[in-house]
Amino acid sequence: MRFVSPNCSDLYEPNIEMKQFPDGDDYVRLVDLKADGPVFLLHRLYPEQDKALMQAVLMLRTLKEKGYRTALVAPYLPYSRQDKIFKEGEAKSAEYVCEMLKWAGADRLITFDCHFMKKAGEAEYGGLKIASLSMGAELIERAKGKFGDGFEIVSPDLGASYLVERSGGKSMEKVRGEYQEGGEAYRRIEGIRADFEIKGKDVLILDDMISTGSTMIRAAETLKQKGAKKIAFAATHGFFLKDSLQKLGALGDVFVSDSVPSPVSEVSIKRKVESLVGI
Ligand code: R5P
């Protein structure tokens, strides 16, 4: 059964009415839903993650009220990076968000390259069953289509090594430091180590996400210092905050999936979503 929400209209025709009250509160209404089995709610939770999460809660809760079992298909799971406590008193946001989705009525969550899982497959977290699909192979195929076979594949940190391992890729190690000064919760990158030879090679750097682009830029600098030739950047989720797309574009080719739509979303999640919901 296909069941989708308006913020995925680039992938499917919307069939949930979603509007806003004049003060900005969300309004959600299921339109002519008649399903005899479980339903799939496809809803992007980024950008404007807090609003999108609230919309998901309203939709899930309404579906639960109507007696449906719902699998939430959220291509990117926001807050998934805050799954560990670095400083006493911090919120373990990843867990709380999963608990909230479970409470609202998500029978399971289907997502892509879920950050805290650090592998593709199934897990339970915050009481929520999660299936994390990977776009790693599709992104590597795209790179082959663009550059041919003769490039090395490297992940910029150990958390993303699962994305490159099956293709014989290598992993770098990112060392993070303290939070930077100011109102932005961003832990400085102290360094990125690469304990392998890369001299004279073209390289695809593959990560689960590009946010500010700092990880990719530092990784590229490290590889260049070690003698790498051409560099390209790929990730499942691309947020491209600030001027990161421009900065990365100046260093090499950049492409991502359309889990979060962007000007460089060259690989679609659509086929994988369809195989899941059986259409
Ligand atoms: C973190 O470990 C992730 O895998 C990414 O490397 C990170 O979130 C990318 O963030 P940024 O683009 O801000 O460096």
Side-chain angles (χ1 to χ4, degrees):
M1 152 88 210
R2 189 169 90 172
F3 186 62
V4 298
S5 73
N7 79 3
C8 290
S9 59
D10 58 317
L11 298 173
Y12 300 104
E13 196 66 34
N15 64 356
I16 295 180
E17 197 179 347
M18 206 161 67
K19 307 195 246 194
Q20 293 201 344
F21 290 101
D23 62 357
D25 286 357
D26 287 300
Y27 167 97
V28 157
R29 183 177 158 252
L30 310 178
V31 183
D32 297 330
L33 174 66
K34 285 176 203 75
D36 11 344
V39 296
F40 291 90
L41 171 63
L42 175 59
H43 189 57
R44 282 202 179 92
L45 298 178
Y46 192 92
E48 291 195 76
Q49 60 270 45
D50 295 346
K51 191 151 195 62
L53 277 167
M54 188 62 205
Q55 291 163 345
V57 164
L58 295 178
M59 288 187 273
L60 287 165
R61 191 63 190 80
T62 311
L63 286 161
K64 189 163 143 185
E65 196 73 31
K66 295 271 168 211
Y68 291 110
R69 273 183 52 211
T70 307
L72 172 63
V73 185
Y76 166 67
L77 178 66
Y79 292 94
S80 55
R81 277 180 291 177
Q82 187 69 10
D83 64 318
K84 289 193 192 80
I85 302 299
F86 179 67
K87 275 196 156 159
E88 171 58 27
E90 282 179 348
K92 210 171 167 190
S93 325
E95 192 175 313
Y96 306 156
V97 163
C98 289
E99 284 172 358
M100 178 179 78
L101 294 173
K102 168 82 181 169
W103 166 83
D107 190 45
R108 65 189 167 121
L109 167 71
I110 298 161
T111 188
F112 285 86
D113 291 306
C114 178
H115 182 76
F116 57 73
M117 282 178 58
K118 302 198 179 345
K119 60 177 186 179
E122 304 202 347
E124 192 167 319
Y125 187 72
L128 181 67
K129 286 192 193 115
I130 304 174
S132 182
L133 311 174
S134 182
M135 289 303 287
E138 285 76 3
L139 290 162
I140 290 171
E141 272 312 300
R142 174 73 187 156
K144 285 183 183 161
K146 284 160 94 87
F147 321 119
D149 269 331
F151 59 88
E152 294 285 332
I153 306 163
V154 170
S155 79
D157 62 32
L158 296 175
S161 22
Y162 78 95
L163 286 168
V164 305
E165 264 162 10
R166 282 181 63 186
S167 309
K170 302 178 170 84
S171 295
M172 305 170 83
E173 191 176 352
K174 177 167 71 179
V175 182
R176 283 220 186 253
E178 263 297 334
Y179 285 101
Q180 64 189 16
E181 295 294 316
E184 212 172 59
Y186 189 85
R187 284 176 57 205
R188 281 193 205 90
I189 300 174
E190 299 288 339
I192 298 196
R193 265 203 312 269
D195 295 328
F196 48 80
E197 283 305 312
I198 205 77
K199 198 167 176 192
K201 307 270 190 192
D202 294 337
V203 187
L204 172 73
I205 313 180
L206 180 58
D207 204 354
D208 60 338
M209 66 181 85
I210 300 174
S211 174
T212 66
S214 312
T215 301
M216 286 297 203
I217 291 170
R218 292 291 290 271
E221 284 166 2
T222 305
L223 295 173
K224 278 279 179 197
Q225 277 159 17
K226 289 178 75 74
K229 270 170 42 193
K230 263 198 288 187
I231 307 252
F233 306 94
T236 300
H237 315 292
F239 316 139
F240 300 115
L241 305 178
K242 302 171 187 169
D243 53 357
S244 54
L245 184 51
Q246 259 173 298
K247 282 187 181 158
L248 288 170
L251 299 173
D253 203 302
V254 193
F255 59 97
V256 292
S257 88
D258 57 359
S259 67
V260 175
S262 80
V264 290
S265 290
E266 296 181 10
V267 180
S268 185
I269 58 167
K270 192 170 181 187
R271 204 170 50 79
K272 277 206 159 147
V273 171
E274 285 180 348
S275 65
L276 264 173
V277 302
I279 53 174

